[in-house]
Amino acid sequence: MNDIEAKQKPKHTPAEKKMLVRYGRTAIVGWFTHEERTMPKAHSKVMIKTERGLEIGEVVGRFCYKSGVFKKSEQAVIDYYGQPPESCPIAAGGKFVRYATEQDLSEERHINADAKQELDKCRQFVKETNLPMKLVDIEHVFGGERIIFYFTADTRIDFRELVKRLAKEFQTRIEMRQVGSRDAAKIASDIEVCGQACCCARFLKILRTVNMKMAKLQKATLDPSKISGYCGRLKCCLRYEDHTYRELARRLPRKRTRVKTSQGEGIVVDAQVLTQLVSVKADDGTIFAVPAEEIEIIELPPKQPQIEKTDTLAREQFADEEDIDVLDGEGQEDEDQEIDFDNPPEPQDQPEP
């Protein structure tokens, strides 16, 4: 009986082993199947097979493997980005071939050294054909299956003649990929004023909304040349501390609120978000600063028509998310000044004719 039960017991099917790899000029991330029993803890370069051909990449999350299996599920990685699966920046991936050898790394350096000459040659052809486009960078697939040229342009470009010249020159498949300003900055970005490489090139995958309200609330200069990034849009780092600034701003009374302090009564004329100090103008004209927690609100300022009514007393007494910029005394921000990073322009793949 025990023998029969043993035969009927289903065999255990081991989980498919996959590794997370970052590859390509645009730092694509994808899952790759493999048969390795263990994963090295050191920084590792790997050879992978993708739909574009043989490529070289680097293992992501090298401390997240146990017996060669990624500790988190694919759904957990998608949940990490906080986006629906169709919007998650995880590519289809492919198959792991081997760990990169010293010969592979030497070949990669050789390819990168030749890329500049290839890019200069393409620029020469663009100039000869009078195409209204700006080349951003070049990506030479490791296996030699294709060369990808990234460019920006205001409109769609008819580059059939250009592709013919490039294919004849380099004797391989040519792919021209039009990208937007965000992707161009990610590809060709350099060191920013903070001393670090651009965030979109280093780690940012989901780019969310950044608007002028964030710069105003943080008392940043409104000079576009100083708060704009490499892509020409508002810097993504303005969003990093926005939540903290909003939380602190809620604790401050609005301007023109009549308050009572230990130094007497007065009208709020200014407030500092980080220090939580409120400038109060007394009835005799003197101005003094007091901590926000020592203030007692006597009378709220007259409601402005553009400020939305709120239901709770806390919302009436303190600036909420929609009218935080009242602290600056400039009313609501115009809607057309908001820059939407949630829906950046998608790169347009234009196949070889």
Side-chain angles (χ1 to χ4, degrees):
M1 186 67 180
N2 293 335
D3 293 340
I4 296 176
E5 291 179 354
K7 291 180 180 179
Q8 293 178 348
K9 187 176 180 180
K11 294 182 179 180
H12 173 69
T13 304
E16 185 179 29
K17 294 182 179 180
K18 291 185 178 182
M19 65 173 64
L20 203 57
V21 180
R22 182 185 295 112
Y23 64 96
R25 192 66 185 86
T26 54
I28 307 169
V29 177
W31 291 102
F32 292 82
T33 58
H34 68 98
E35 300 297 334
E36 301 295 313
R37 293 187 176 182
T38 59
M39 297 290 292
K41 300 298 183 183
H43 180 76
S44 303
K45 292 272 191 175
V46 293
M47 303 303 300
I48 52 178
K49 190 70 173 178
T50 70
E51 59 181 8
R52 306 194 303 180
L54 183 65
E55 302 193 56
I56 188 168
E58 58 180 347
V59 179
V60 177
R62 57 186 184 273
F63 298 108
C64 299
Y65 294 89
K66 183 177 181 180
S67 300
V69 179
F70 199 75
K71 294 179 182 179
K72 298 293 184 180
S73 65
E74 295 184 30
Q75 184 60 44
V77 175
I78 294 176
D79 294 340
Y80 167 78
Y81 287 103
Q83 297 288 318
E86 60 274 10
S87 303
C88 186
I90 301 292
K95 186 177 181 180
F96 166 82
V97 178
R98 65 177 183 273
Y99 287 104
T101 63
E102 186 59 37
Q103 183 178 357
D104 294 329
L105 299 177
S106 177
E107 179 65 20
E108 181 189 28
R109 290 190 292 268
H110 177 70
I111 291 174
N112 293 335
D114 294 341
K116 186 178 184 302
Q117 297 178 0
E118 294 171 346
L119 189 61
D120 291 340
K121 193 66 176 178
C122 184
R123 286 198 176 102
Q124 177 185 337
F125 288 157
V126 169
K127 186 176 181 181
E128 292 175 357
T129 52
N130 294 320
L131 293 177
M133 57 189 289
K134 179 181 178 182
L135 289 176
V136 177
D137 207 348
I138 180 177
E139 181 178 2
H140 203 303
V141 176
F142 185 87
E145 290 87 352
R146 71 182 72 186
I147 299 177
I148 305 171
F149 291 93
Y150 297 94
F151 70 94
T152 59
D154 295 334
T155 59
R156 291 186 65 86
I157 305 296
D158 182 6
F159 45 71
R160 287 176 292 183
E161 180 63 28
L162 175 63
V163 169
K164 289 179 182 179
R165 292 194 182 189
L166 292 173
K168 182 178 180 180
E169 177 71 23
F170 302 123
Q171 296 298 309
T172 188
R173 180 180 178 182
I174 302 298
E175 180 178 336
M176 305 296 295
R177 178 170 296 184
Q178 184 173 352
V179 297
S181 60
R182 299 299 313 278
D183 297 291
K186 182 177 181 179
I187 295 172
S189 62
D190 202 349
I191 304 301
E192 264 292 353
V193 294
C194 60
Q196 299 286 336
C198 288
C199 298
C200 57
R202 281 194 302 150
F203 62 90
L204 276 186
K205 293 295 182 184
I206 304 297
L207 305 175
R208 304 182 186 278
T209 302
V210 181
N211 53 47
M212 287 298 294
K213 276 187 179 181
M214 297 178 182
K216 290 177 61 180
L217 181 59
Q218 298 175 33
K219 300 293 184 181
T221 175
L222 299 184
D223 183 357
S225 64
K226 295 183 179 179
I227 60 176
S228 299
Y230 193 90
C231 60
R233 300 187 179 186
L234 292 176
K235 292 180 179 179
C236 298
C237 56
L238 288 173
R239 189 180 182 88
Y240 296 164
E241 297 180 355
D242 182 63
H243 177 73
T244 301
Y245 272 89
R246 287 180 179 274
E247 288 295 327
L248 292 174
R250 288 193 187 97
R251 306 174 187 175
L252 299 174
R254 300 175 183 173
K255 285 184 178 181
R256 299 179 300 279
T257 298
R258 187 163 186 83
V259 296
K260 179 179 180 181
T261 70
S262 58
Q263 302 181 40
E265 296 184 4
I267 302 296
V268 175
V269 294
D270 197 8
Q272 299 296 325
V273 178
L274 289 182
T275 60
Q276 293 288 283
L277 290 177
V278 180
S279 296
V280 180
K281 184 177 181 180
D283 296 336
D284 58 2
T286 59
I287 298 177
F288 54 90
V290 292
E293 61 269 16
E294 297 180 7
I295 285 180
E296 179 184 348
I297 295 178
I298 298 177
E299 183 181 355
L300 295 173
K303 291 185 178 181
Q304 299 179 358
Q306 70 270 23
I307 298 180
E308 187 176 327
K309 294 183 178 181
T310 54
D311 299 330
T312 62
L313 179 62
R315 288 287 184 99
E316 291 177 351
Q317 292 180 342
F318 299 101
D320 60 19
E321 294 185 3
E322 296 301 323
D323 55 12
I324 282 176
D325 53 345
V326 173
L327 295 174
D328 297 327
E330 298 185 20
Q332 297 292 325
E333 193 66 38
D334 293 335
E335 290 297 329
D336 59 353
Q337 292 183 352
E338 181 171 325
I339 299 180
D340 189 0
F341 283 179
D342 284 332
N343 299 294
E346 293 292 335
Q348 299 179 8
D349 294 338
Q350 301 182 12
E352 175 189 1

